[in-house]
Amino acid sequence: MPEISRKNWEARLEAVRSDFAASALDCLATLEDLELFRVKYLGRKSELTELLKLLKDLAPEDKRALGPQAQKLKSGIETAVARRQAELEDELLQSKLANESLDVTLPSYREPRGRLHPLTLVMDEMTRILTLMGFSLAQGPHVETERHNFEALNIPKHHPARDMLDTFYLKDAPGVLRTHTSPVQVRVMEKQKPPLRIICPGRVFRHEEVDASHSSVFHQIEGLAVDKGVSFADLKGTLDFFLKELFGSGTQTRYRPSYFPFTEPSTEVDVRCLFCGGSGCSACKRSGWMEILGAGVVNPNVFKAVGLDPAQWSGFAFGVGVERVAMLRLGVSDMRLFYENDQRFLSQFDENLA
Ligand code: DAH
């Protein structure tokens, strides 16, 4: 005896069909609601599943006739659920895309940006000009031998430059902290045969009382050119060009006779006061000129010290104080500002040296 009559089964299937037809599938707003819906119509305990199970209790010919109807309804519901699921997933994706979209026109966060120290900026600028003029970079150690720092530069034992008051001598070893970059001239000529043109930017050390224009650690740029027939005129042409590039094309220069043991003749070079233009102010001590560097024609004794024949070779050399140039170039009146690491001071200067 079948537990369910065909009529009854058909009536129940029809109820499911009309219930589904009246359902608000398209109004389901979330995937969770859709899942509840799916369980209700297609789940293990749903009426439809139950009816499919009951098919086996029907007569074979009823089974054959009704089975496909139930399957058809089932696959119809499955298709509808799948379609709604695809719609909901798409809506979800669209709303995610809308909410997470990136507005590339918004201003970005400002990253704190480091910058180079003004002394580095000025030293780089001087180095840039000189390398464009054909000088290559050379280096030497901060701890120097007395031979390189003094003797080979024609600074004999009794010379005042060697005074304990100026020079830092090492305690437990021979050698000194270099008092200028000139020993690099010696080091280069010991290694390289002329013709040569080098500069050496670097740090130097002197036992000096610190004040507005003195520091015990400061910077110089050394220059040396050696070739056949190099004259004072070459030195003058080179320095004039360099100083005009550095301070502006209208820069006037003045060459005063001076004395350095390693050059003969020697000169100190001044530029027209950058602050008053020559009329006299406190920056130039009312002279209208500012001293910029020392220079000269290489002393034959220096050539002899490195084994070069002074009858064959000649050259010029110069030494520029970086701090001094930086103070003039940047309008800074106290050298100590460069070493105090006050960000308010340091952050005023950029690559344009403005
Ligand atoms: N070495 C010198 C100083 O520290 C500067 C100097 C003067 C360097 C004349 C030179 C030069 O090369 O020719 O005071």
Side-chain angles (χ1 to χ4, degrees):
M1 233 348 244
E3 285 187 8
I4 183 167
S5 71
R6 172 176 177 152
K7 232 177 138 214
N8 192 346
W9 191 96
E10 280 185 304
R12 283 173 64 178
L13 185 70
E14 188 48 38
V16 172
R17 183 181 287 122
S18 61
D19 185 40
F20 172 69
S23 73
L25 176 61
D26 286 337
C27 296
L28 296 179
T30 67
L31 287 167
E32 290 73 28
D33 288 348
L34 182 66
E35 176 60 11
L36 293 176
F37 184 93
R38 191 191 64 76
V39 169
K40 177 178 168 199
Y41 286 98
L42 302 169
R44 271 189 299 121
K45 293 179 183 160
S46 66
E47 175 75 348
L48 189 53
T49 304
E50 176 68 14
L51 287 172
L52 282 164
K53 273 189 210 151
L54 287 172
L55 273 176
K56 68 178 188 320
D57 298 331
L58 294 175
E61 66 276 13
D62 291 344
K63 215 190 282 183
R64 233 173 290 129
L66 300 179
Q69 286 186 31
Q71 282 302 341
K72 196 174 161 217
L73 180 58
K74 185 179 177 189
S75 63
I77 297 175
E78 281 171 349
T79 308
V81 167
R83 179 188 47 75
R84 185 65 192 146
Q85 177 166 348
E87 283 171 10
L88 286 175
E89 281 172 354
D90 189 53
E91 276 170 27
L92 200 67
L93 179 67
Q94 294 307 328
S95 86
K96 257 194 189 164
L97 287 177
N99 292 332
E100 291 173 8
S101 74
L102 195 65
D103 184 351
V104 292
T105 64
L106 285 172
S108 62
Y109 296 108
R110 269 193 182 267
E111 290 292 338
R113 186 162 166 265
R115 53 175 79 217
L116 294 174
H117 192 281
L119 285 178
T120 307
L121 291 171
V122 170
M123 190 141 73
D124 284 355
E125 168 72 355
M126 292 196 274
T127 303
R128 187 186 67 80
I129 298 167
L130 290 163
T131 48
L132 278 176
M133 291 169 73
F135 289 86
S136 32
L137 280 172
Q139 275 195 314
H142 290 167
V143 174
E144 262 300 3
T145 65
E146 291 192 46
R147 187 183 109 71
H148 287 94
N149 198 76
F150 298 125
E151 268 130 58
L153 288 167
N154 200 32
I155 305 172
K157 278 243 158 359
H158 55 80
H159 195 281
R162 289 197 177 205
D163 198 313
M164 286 290 282
L165 291 174
D166 283 350
T167 308
F168 286 114
Y169 288 85
L170 300 189
K171 208 167 165 199
D172 305 315
V176 298
L177 293 184
R178 69 179 181 195
T179 57
H180 50 180
T181 43
S182 302
V184 181
Q185 291 186 32
V186 179
R187 290 195 172 269
V188 168
M189 286 191 285
E190 280 173 344
K191 281 223 192 75
Q192 251 172 275
K193 284 271 148 275
L196 48 89
R197 271 179 290 178
I198 60 98
I199 53 166
C200 168
R203 192 165 288 180
V204 301
F205 310 85
R206 280 187 209 171
H207 195 286
E208 209 128 37
E209 208 64 61
V210 175
D211 65 24
S213 54
H214 292 90
S215 165
S216 51
V217 182
F218 56 103
H219 300 81
Q220 293 185 331
I221 295 188
E222 191 76 15
L224 172 71
V226 181
D227 205 335
K228 290 188 170 143
V230 174
S231 70
F232 194 92
D234 297 311
L235 169 67
K236 198 161 177 284
T238 302
L239 292 179
D240 275 1
F241 183 87
F242 169 62
L243 294 171
K244 283 193 163 72
E245 283 292 307
L246 190 59
F247 293 118
S249 54
T251 304
Q252 277 180 278
T253 53
R254 176 173 83 169
Y255 291 72
R256 274 183 294 108
S258 184
Y259 173 77
F260 298 102
F262 32 92
T263 45
E264 181 59 37
S266 300
T267 180
E268 277 172 302
V269 185
D270 303 337
V271 295
R272 267 281 181 215
C273 179
L274 297 165
F275 299 105
C276 66
S279 56
C281 66
S282 63
C284 60
K285 298 197 190 93
R286 319 257 156 243
S287 72
W289 295 94
M290 303 182 114
E291 187 200 319
I292 291 293
L293 55 83
V297 172
V298 177
N299 190 306
N301 286 340
V302 177
F303 283 138
K304 281 183 206 153
V306 294
L308 288 176
D309 179 3
Q312 202 186 348
W313 301 105
S314 56
F316 65 75
F318 58 89
V320 198
V322 176
E323 276 77 357
R324 188 163 178 75
V325 169
M327 288 167 77
L328 297 176
R329 189 73 171 63
L330 305 174
V332 172
S333 57
D334 192 324
M335 195 187 284
R336 287 168 290 200
L337 286 166
F338 289 127
Y339 308 113
E340 283 166 356
N341 286 332
D342 185 331
Q343 289 294 326
R344 292 168 303 177
F345 170 75
L346 295 177
S347 64
Q348 291 176 73
F349 309 104
D350 62 19
E351 288 78 1
N352 307 318
L353 298 180

mmCIF file of all heavy atoms in Angstrom, residues 304-345:
data_model
loop_
_atom_site.group_PDB
_atom_site.id
_atom_site.type_symbol
_atom_site.label_atom_id
_atom_site.label_comp_id
_atom_site.label_asym_id
_atom_site.label_seq_id
_atom_site.Cartn_x
_atom_site.Cartn_y
_atom_site.Cartn_z
ATOM 1 N N LYS A 304 111.242 68.495 -5.019
ATOM 2 C CA LYS A 304 112.423 67.694 -4.647
ATOM 3 C C LYS A 304 112.039 66.642 -3.606
ATOM 4 O O LYS A 304 112.489 65.497 -3.667
ATOM 5 C CB LYS A 304 113.535 68.592 -4.091
ATOM 6 C CG LYS A 304 114.309 69.314 -5.186
ATOM 7 C CD LYS A 304 115.458 70.129 -4.569
ATOM 8 C CE LYS A 304 115.813 71.308 -5.480
ATOM 9 N NZ LYS A 304 116.398 72.438 -4.741
ATOM 10 N N ALA A 305 111.186 67.021 -2.669
ATOM 11 C CA ALA A 305 110.803 66.101 -1.587
ATOM 12 C C ALA A 305 110.064 64.872 -2.107
ATOM 13 O O ALA A 305 110.037 63.827 -1.459
ATOM 14 C CB ALA A 305 109.933 66.831 -0.558
ATOM 15 N N VAL A 306 109.430 64.994 -3.282
ATOM 16 C CA VAL A 306 108.703 63.835 -3.817
ATOM 17 C C VAL A 306 109.421 63.238 -5.037
ATOM 18 O O VAL A 306 108.851 62.426 -5.770
ATOM 19 C CB VAL A 306 107.246 64.196 -4.202
ATOM 20 C CG1 VAL A 306 106.447 64.561 -2.958
ATOM 21 C CG2 VAL A 306 107.210 65.336 -5.218
ATOM 22 N N GLY A 307 110.652 63.684 -5.247
ATOM 23 C CA GLY A 307 111.456 63.086 -6.314
ATOM 24 C C GLY A 307 111.120 63.577 -7.712
ATOM 25 O O GLY A 307 111.369 62.875 -8.690
ATOM 26 N N LEU A 308 110.531 64.769 -7.812
ATOM 27 C CA LEU A 308 110.277 65.347 -9.141
ATOM 28 C C LEU A 308 111.323 66.417 -9.425
ATOM 29 O O LEU A 308 111.745 67.138 -8.519
ATOM 30 C CB LEU A 308 108.874 65.966 -9.208
ATOM 31 C CG LEU A 308 107.675 65.004 -9.235
ATOM 32 C CD1 LEU A 308 106.372 65.788 -9.210
ATOM 33 C CD2 LEU A 308 107.734 64.095 -10.467
ATOM 34 N N ASP A 309 111.708 66.529 -10.676
ATOM 35 C CA ASP A 309 112.744 67.483 -11.061
ATOM 36 C C ASP A 309 112.126 68.858 -11.281
ATOM 37 O O ASP A 309 111.350 69.062 -12.213
ATOM 38 C CB ASP A 309 113.403 66.972 -12.356
ATOM 39 C CG ASP A 309 114.499 67.932 -12.841
ATOM 40 O OD1 ASP A 309 114.773 68.939 -12.134
ATOM 41 O OD2 ASP A 309 115.047 67.673 -13.936
ATOM 42 N N PRO A 310 112.464 69.855 -10.425
ATOM 43 C CA PRO A 310 111.867 71.192 -10.542
ATOM 44 C C PRO A 310 112.264 71.910 -11.820
ATOM 45 O O PRO A 310 111.596 72.865 -12.225
ATOM 46 C CB PRO A 310 112.416 71.946 -9.321
ATOM 47 C CG PRO A 310 113.173 70.968 -8.516
ATOM 48 C CD PRO A 310 113.452 69.758 -9.353
ATOM 49 N N ALA A 311 113.326 71.415 -12.478
ATOM 50 C CA ALA A 311 113.714 72.052 -13.745
ATOM 51 C C ALA A 311 112.762 71.614 -14.854
ATOM 52 O O ALA A 311 112.601 72.299 -15.863
ATOM 53 C CB ALA A 311 115.154 71.666 -14.102
ATOM 54 N N GLN A 312 112.128 70.467 -14.654
ATOM 55 C CA GLN A 312 111.257 69.905 -15.670
ATOM 56 C C GLN A 312 109.790 70.250 -15.427
ATOM 57 O O GLN A 312 109.029 70.496 -16.353
ATOM 58 C CB GLN A 312 111.443 68.383 -15.664
ATOM 59 C CG GLN A 312 111.030 67.717 -16.950
ATOM 60 C CD GLN A 312 111.096 66.190 -16.824
ATOM 61 O OE1 GLN A 312 111.659 65.648 -15.860
ATOM 62 N NE2 GLN A 312 110.537 65.511 -17.786
ATOM 63 N N TRP A 313 109.401 70.256 -14.163
ATOM 64 C CA TRP A 313 107.989 70.422 -13.825
ATOM 65 C C TRP A 313 107.737 71.729 -13.089
ATOM 66 O O TRP A 313 108.568 72.200 -12.352
ATOM 67 C CB TRP A 313 107.495 69.267 -12.942
ATOM 68 C CG TRP A 313 107.648 67.930 -13.596
ATOM 69 C CD1 TRP A 313 108.596 66.981 -13.308
ATOM 70 C CD2 TRP A 313 106.861 67.411 -14.668
ATOM 71 N NE1 TRP A 313 108.445 65.888 -14.121
ATOM 72 C CE2 TRP A 313 107.378 66.128 -14.970
ATOM 73 C CE3 TRP A 313 105.785 67.890 -15.403
ATOM 74 C CZ2 TRP A 313 106.841 65.329 -15.979
ATOM 75 C CZ3 TRP A 313 105.248 67.090 -16.392
ATOM 76 C CH2 TRP A 313 105.776 65.819 -16.684
ATOM 77 N N SER A 314 106.548 72.268 -13.319
ATOM 78 C CA SER A 314 106.125 73.410 -12.498
ATOM 79 C C SER A 314 104.639 73.249 -12.206
ATOM 80 O O SER A 314 103.952 72.453 -12.857
ATOM 81 C CB SER A 314 106.393 74.728 -13.227
ATOM 82 O OG SER A 314 105.761 74.732 -14.494
ATOM 83 N N GLY A 315 104.167 74.017 -11.233
ATOM 84 C CA GLY A 315 102.758 73.830 -10.866
ATOM 85 C C GLY A 315 102.246 74.957 -10.001
ATOM 86 O O GLY A 315 102.997 75.843 -9.592
ATOM 87 N N PHE A 316 100.952 74.920 -9.767
ATOM 88 C CA PHE A 316 100.393 75.852 -8.780
ATOM 89 C C PHE A 316 99.536 75.078 -7.796
ATOM 90 O O PHE A 316 99.103 73.947 -8.085
ATOM 91 C CB PHE A 316 99.606 76.986 -9.451
ATOM 92 C CG PHE A 316 98.364 76.556 -10.205
ATOM 93 C CD1 PHE A 316 97.200 76.191 -9.519
ATOM 94 C CD2 PHE A 316 98.352 76.562 -11.604
ATOM 95 C CE1 PHE A 316 96.051 75.821 -10.215
ATOM 96 C CE2 PHE A 316 97.202 76.185 -12.308
ATOM 97 C CZ PHE A 316 96.046 75.812 -11.609
ATOM 98 N N ALA A 317 99.312 75.698 -6.627
ATOM 99 C CA ALA A 317 98.503 75.058 -5.594
ATOM 100 C C ALA A 317 97.641 76.127 -4.935
ATOM 101 O O ALA A 317 97.951 77.316 -4.983
ATOM 102 C CB ALA A 317 99.399 74.385 -4.557
ATOM 103 N N PHE A 318 96.536 75.685 -4.381
ATOM 104 C CA PHE A 318 95.711 76.623 -3.613
ATOM 105 C C PHE A 318 94.981 75.874 -2.513
ATOM 106 O O PHE A 318 94.817 74.642 -2.580
ATOM 107 C CB PHE A 318 94.706 77.359 -4.520
ATOM 108 C CG PHE A 318 93.774 76.459 -5.290
ATOM 109 C CD1 PHE A 318 92.556 76.065 -4.747
ATOM 110 C CD2 PHE A 318 94.115 76.000 -6.563
ATOM 111 C CE1 PHE A 318 91.695 75.241 -5.463
ATOM 112 C CE2 PHE A 318 93.253 75.178 -7.287
ATOM 113 C CZ PHE A 318 92.042 74.791 -6.729
ATOM 114 N N GLY A 319 94.581 76.608 -1.487
ATOM 115 C CA GLY A 319 93.827 76.010 -0.380
ATOM 116 C C GLY A 319 92.704 76.963 0.029
ATOM 117 O O GLY A 319 92.954 78.123 0.326
ATOM 118 N N VAL A 320 91.461 76.464 -0.008
ATOM 119 C CA VAL A 320 90.296 77.302 0.311
ATOM 120 C C VAL A 320 89.671 76.818 1.610
ATOM 121 O O VAL A 320 89.486 75.616 1.798
ATOM 122 C CB VAL A 320 89.211 77.190 -0.787
ATOM 123 C CG1 VAL A 320 88.240 78.356 -0.698
ATOM 124 C CG2 VAL A 320 89.821 77.071 -2.156
ATOM 125 N N GLY A 321 89.306 77.741 2.473
ATOM 126 C CA GLY A 321 88.575 77.385 3.686
ATOM 127 C C GLY A 321 87.084 77.297 3.379
ATOM 128 O O GLY A 321 86.470 78.268 2.951
ATOM 129 N N VAL A 322 86.524 76.107 3.596
ATOM 130 C CA VAL A 322 85.122 75.885 3.221
ATOM 131 C C VAL A 322 84.169 76.701 4.111
ATOM 132 O O VAL A 322 83.215 77.310 3.625
ATOM 133 C CB VAL A 322 84.773 74.378 3.294
ATOM 134 C CG1 VAL A 322 83.291 74.146 3.013
ATOM 135 C CG2 VAL A 322 85.632 73.596 2.311
ATOM 136 N N GLU A 323 84.447 76.725 5.418
ATOM 137 C CA GLU A 323 83.573 77.462 6.339
ATOM 138 C C GLU A 323 83.497 78.934 5.957
ATOM 139 O O GLU A 323 82.428 79.540 5.985
ATOM 140 C CB GLU A 323 84.090 77.329 7.782
ATOM 141 C CG GLU A 323 83.641 76.072 8.509
ATOM 142 C CD GLU A 323 84.415 74.832 8.067
ATOM 143 O OE1 GLU A 323 85.260 74.938 7.159
ATOM 144 O OE2 GLU A 323 84.166 73.755 8.634
ATOM 145 N N ARG A 324 84.665 79.468 5.621
ATOM 146 C CA ARG A 324 84.724 80.890 5.273
ATOM 147 C C ARG A 324 83.870 81.182 4.030
ATOM 148 O O ARG A 324 83.069 82.115 4.004
ATOM 149 C CB ARG A 324 86.188 81.276 5.015
ATOM 150 C CG ARG A 324 86.354 82.722 4.851
ATOM 151 C CD ARG A 324 87.762 83.225 4.999
ATOM 152 N NE ARG A 324 87.723 84.657 4.748
ATOM 153 C CZ ARG A 324 87.262 85.541 5.599
ATOM 154 N NH1 ARG A 324 86.843 85.156 6.779
ATOM 155 N NH2 ARG A 324 87.204 86.827 5.283
ATOM 156 N N VAL A 325 84.022 80.331 3.017
ATOM 157 C CA VAL A 325 83.218 80.501 1.801
ATOM 158 C C VAL A 325 81.731 80.331 2.111
ATOM 159 O O VAL A 325 80.892 81.099 1.643
ATOM 160 C CB VAL A 325 83.651 79.484 0.709
ATOM 161 C CG1 VAL A 325 82.656 79.471 -0.444
ATOM 162 C CG2 VAL A 325 85.049 79.818 0.210
ATOM 163 N N ALA A 326 81.422 79.326 2.958
ATOM 164 C CA ALA A 326 80.010 79.069 3.293
ATOM 165 C C ALA A 326 79.407 80.273 4.012
ATOM 166 O O ALA A 326 78.262 80.664 3.741
ATOM 167 C CB ALA A 326 79.891 77.817 4.164
ATOM 168 N N MET A 327 80.182 80.889 4.911
ATOM 169 C CA MET A 327 79.671 82.052 5.647
ATOM 170 C C MET A 327 79.359 83.201 4.685
ATOM 171 O O MET A 327 78.330 83.862 4.791
ATOM 172 C CB MET A 327 80.686 82.493 6.714
ATOM 173 C CG MET A 327 80.752 81.521 7.888
ATOM 174 S SD MET A 327 82.176 81.799 8.956
ATOM 175 C CE MET A 327 81.631 83.235 9.878
ATOM 176 N N LEU A 328 80.258 83.389 3.712
ATOM 177 C CA LEU A 328 80.046 84.465 2.739
ATOM 178 C C LEU A 328 78.899 84.137 1.798
ATOM 179 O O LEU A 328 78.035 84.960 1.511
ATOM 180 C CB LEU A 328 81.319 84.686 1.916
ATOM 181 C CG LEU A 328 82.532 85.157 2.711
ATOM 182 C CD1 LEU A 328 83.746 85.254 1.809
ATOM 183 C CD2 LEU A 328 82.243 86.509 3.356
ATOM 184 N N ARG A 329 78.908 82.909 1.331
ATOM 185 C CA ARG A 329 77.924 82.485 0.330
ATOM 186 C C ARG A 329 76.506 82.456 0.920
ATOM 187 O O ARG A 329 75.536 82.756 0.244
ATOM 188 C CB ARG A 329 78.343 81.108 -0.161
ATOM 189 C CG ARG A 329 77.597 80.550 -1.333
ATOM 190 C CD ARG A 329 77.992 81.267 -2.623
ATOM 191 N NE ARG A 329 77.443 80.592 -3.780
ATOM 192 C CZ ARG A 329 76.154 80.455 -4.018
ATOM 193 N NH1 ARG A 329 75.285 80.962 -3.196
ATOM 194 N NH2 ARG A 329 75.723 79.813 -5.078
ATOM 195 N N LEU A 330 76.404 82.062 2.211
ATOM 196 C CA LEU A 330 75.085 81.897 2.821
ATOM 197 C C LEU A 330 74.714 83.058 3.742
ATOM 198 O O LEU A 330 73.628 83.074 4.320
ATOM 199 C CB LEU A 330 75.024 80.579 3.608
ATOM 200 C CG LEU A 330 75.383 79.305 2.820
ATOM 201 C CD1 LEU A 330 75.421 78.097 3.743
ATOM 202 C CD2 LEU A 330 74.406 79.063 1.685
ATOM 203 N N GLY A 331 75.625 84.016 3.885
ATOM 204 C CA GLY A 331 75.343 85.152 4.754
ATOM 205 C C GLY A 331 75.258 84.775 6.230
ATOM 206 O O GLY A 331 74.390 85.253 6.957
ATOM 207 N N VAL A 332 76.155 83.903 6.674
ATOM 208 C CA VAL A 332 76.167 83.462 8.074
ATOM 209 C C VAL A 332 77.332 84.157 8.777
ATOM 210 O O VAL A 332 78.457 84.124 8.289
ATOM 211 C CB VAL A 332 76.339 81.922 8.155
ATOM 212 C CG1 VAL A 332 76.548 81.469 9.586
ATOM 213 C CG2 VAL A 332 75.129 81.236 7.531
ATOM 214 N N SER A 333 77.061 84.796 9.922
ATOM 215 C CA SER A 333 78.127 85.593 10.523
ATOM 216 C C SER A 333 78.855 84.865 11.655
ATOM 217 O O SER A 333 79.879 85.344 12.126
ATOM 218 C CB SER A 333 77.562 86.918 11.030
ATOM 219 O OG SER A 333 76.520 86.636 11.939
ATOM 220 N N ASP A 334 78.348 83.720 12.107
ATOM 221 C CA ASP A 334 79.012 83.003 13.200
ATOM 222 C C ASP A 334 79.227 81.544 12.812
ATOM 223 O O ASP A 334 78.281 80.788 12.597
ATOM 224 C CB ASP A 334 78.156 83.093 14.469
ATOM 225 C CG ASP A 334 78.922 82.627 15.693
ATOM 226 O OD1 ASP A 334 79.733 81.680 15.578
ATOM 227 O OD2 ASP A 334 78.705 83.222 16.773
ATOM 228 N N MET A 335 80.501 81.148 12.728
ATOM 229 C CA MET A 335 80.857 79.798 12.282
ATOM 230 C C MET A 335 80.274 78.713 13.173
ATOM 231 O O MET A 335 79.975 77.607 12.727
ATOM 232 C CB MET A 335 82.386 79.666 12.266
ATOM 233 C CG MET A 335 82.909 78.473 11.496
ATOM 234 S SD MET A 335 84.680 78.279 11.679
ATOM 235 C CE MET A 335 85.298 79.543 10.621
ATOM 236 N N ARG A 336 80.089 79.040 14.469
ATOM 237 C CA ARG A 336 79.612 78.026 15.418
ATOM 238 C C ARG A 336 78.236 77.481 15.045
ATOM 239 O O ARG A 336 77.890 76.357 15.389
ATOM 240 C CB ARG A 336 79.577 78.610 16.837
ATOM 241 C CG ARG A 336 80.974 78.765 17.419
ATOM 242 C CD ARG A 336 80.975 79.588 18.677
ATOM 243 N NE ARG A 336 80.678 81.001 18.409
ATOM 244 C CZ ARG A 336 80.973 81.996 19.233
ATOM 245 N NH1 ARG A 336 81.556 81.733 20.387
ATOM 246 N NH2 ARG A 336 80.674 83.239 18.929
ATOM 247 N N LEU A 337 77.456 78.291 14.320
ATOM 248 C CA LEU A 337 76.118 77.831 13.904
ATOM 249 C C LEU A 337 76.185 76.541 13.080
ATOM 250 O O LEU A 337 75.281 75.714 13.105
ATOM 251 C CB LEU A 337 75.421 78.915 13.074
ATOM 252 C CG LEU A 337 74.900 80.114 13.865
ATOM 253 C CD1 LEU A 337 74.550 81.267 12.942
ATOM 254 C CD2 LEU A 337 73.697 79.714 14.704
ATOM 255 N N PHE A 338 77.296 76.384 12.346
ATOM 256 C CA PHE A 338 77.430 75.191 11.507
ATOM 257 C C PHE A 338 77.575 73.910 12.323
ATOM 258 O O PHE A 338 77.355 72.814 11.821
ATOM 259 C CB PHE A 338 78.646 75.310 10.575
ATOM 260 C CG PHE A 338 78.457 76.324 9.478
ATOM 261 C CD1 PHE A 338 79.399 77.334 9.289
ATOM 262 C CD2 PHE A 338 77.356 76.275 8.637
ATOM 263 C CE1 PHE A 338 79.244 78.270 8.277
ATOM 264 C CE2 PHE A 338 77.192 77.202 7.617
ATOM 265 C CZ PHE A 338 78.136 78.209 7.452
ATOM 266 N N TYR A 339 78.005 74.044 13.565
ATOM 267 C CA TYR A 339 78.320 72.840 14.351
ATOM 268 C C TYR A 339 77.334 72.564 15.476
ATOM 269 O O TYR A 339 77.434 71.554 16.152
ATOM 270 C CB TYR A 339 79.735 72.959 14.943
ATOM 271 C CG TYR A 339 80.770 73.294 13.900
ATOM 272 C CD1 TYR A 339 81.427 74.525 13.906
ATOM 273 C CD2 TYR A 339 81.060 72.380 12.894
ATOM 274 C CE1 TYR A 339 82.355 74.837 12.930
ATOM 275 C CE2 TYR A 339 81.992 72.691 11.918
ATOM 276 C CZ TYR A 339 82.639 73.915 11.941
ATOM 277 O OH TYR A 339 83.540 74.202 10.969
ATOM 278 N N GLU A 340 76.390 73.477 15.686
ATOM 279 C CA GLU A 340 75.493 73.300 16.838
ATOM 280 C C GLU A 340 74.301 72.401 16.542
ATOM 281 O O GLU A 340 73.554 72.036 17.437
ATOM 282 C CB GLU A 340 75.009 74.679 17.329
ATOM 283 C CG GLU A 340 76.108 75.379 18.126
ATOM 284 C CD GLU A 340 75.828 76.854 18.344
ATOM 285 O OE1 GLU A 340 74.808 77.353 17.812
ATOM 286 O OE2 GLU A 340 76.628 77.498 19.045
ATOM 287 N N ASN A 341 74.115 72.055 15.269
ATOM 288 C CA ASN A 341 73.038 71.145 14.877
ATOM 289 C C ASN A 341 71.659 71.601 15.312
ATOM 290 O O ASN A 341 70.830 70.798 15.730
ATOM 291 C CB ASN A 341 73.302 69.727 15.405
ATOM 292 C CG ASN A 341 74.386 69.054 14.604
ATOM 293 O OD1 ASN A 341 74.569 69.372 13.429
ATOM 294 N ND2 ASN A 341 75.116 68.147 15.221
ATOM 295 N N ASP A 342 71.425 72.892 15.229
ATOM 296 C CA ASP A 342 70.091 73.419 15.485
ATOM 297 C C ASP A 342 69.309 73.326 14.171
ATOM 298 O O ASP A 342 69.646 73.985 13.183
ATOM 299 C CB ASP A 342 70.195 74.881 15.952
ATOM 300 C CG ASP A 342 68.839 75.444 16.359
ATOM 301 O OD1 ASP A 342 67.805 74.986 15.814
ATOM 302 O OD2 ASP A 342 68.814 76.348 17.215
ATOM 303 N N GLN A 343 68.268 72.481 14.209
ATOM 304 C CA GLN A 343 67.510 72.233 12.976
ATOM 305 C C GLN A 343 66.946 73.520 12.371
ATOM 306 O O GLN A 343 66.825 73.643 11.161
ATOM 307 C CB GLN A 343 66.347 71.268 13.253
ATOM 308 C CG GLN A 343 66.786 69.847 13.517
ATOM 309 C CD GLN A 343 67.426 69.214 12.293
ATOM 310 O OE1 GLN A 343 67.041 69.502 11.162
ATOM 311 N NE2 GLN A 343 68.409 68.358 12.506
ATOM 312 N N ARG A 344 66.585 74.459 13.227
ATOM 313 C CA ARG A 344 65.994 75.705 12.706
ATOM 314 C C ARG A 344 66.994 76.440 11.817
ATOM 315 O O ARG A 344 66.644 77.062 10.828
ATOM 316 C CB ARG A 344 65.564 76.620 13.870
ATOM 317 C CG ARG A 344 64.394 76.073 14.660
ATOM 318 C CD ARG A 344 64.216 76.857 15.932
ATOM 319 N NE ARG A 344 65.447 76.849 16.738
ATOM 320 C CZ ARG A 344 65.598 77.508 17.869
ATOM 321 N NH1 ARG A 344 64.620 78.249 18.348
ATOM 322 N NH2 ARG A 344 66.746 77.440 18.531
ATOM 323 N N PHE A 345 68.283 76.318 12.177
ATOM 324 C CA PHE A 345 69.316 76.924 11.332
ATOM 325 C C PHE A 345 69.581 76.066 10.096
ATOM 326 O O PHE A 345 69.528 76.537 8.957
ATOM 327 C CB PHE A 345 70.609 77.094 12.142
ATOM 328 C CG PHE A 345 71.794 77.494 11.301
ATOM 329 C CD1 PHE A 345 71.916 78.789 10.818
ATOM 330 C CD2 PHE A 345 72.779 76.564 10.982
ATOM 331 C CE1 PHE A 345 73.009 79.158 10.022
ATOM 332 C CE2 PHE A 345 73.868 76.922 10.194
ATOM 333 C CZ PHE A 345 73.974 78.222 9.721
#
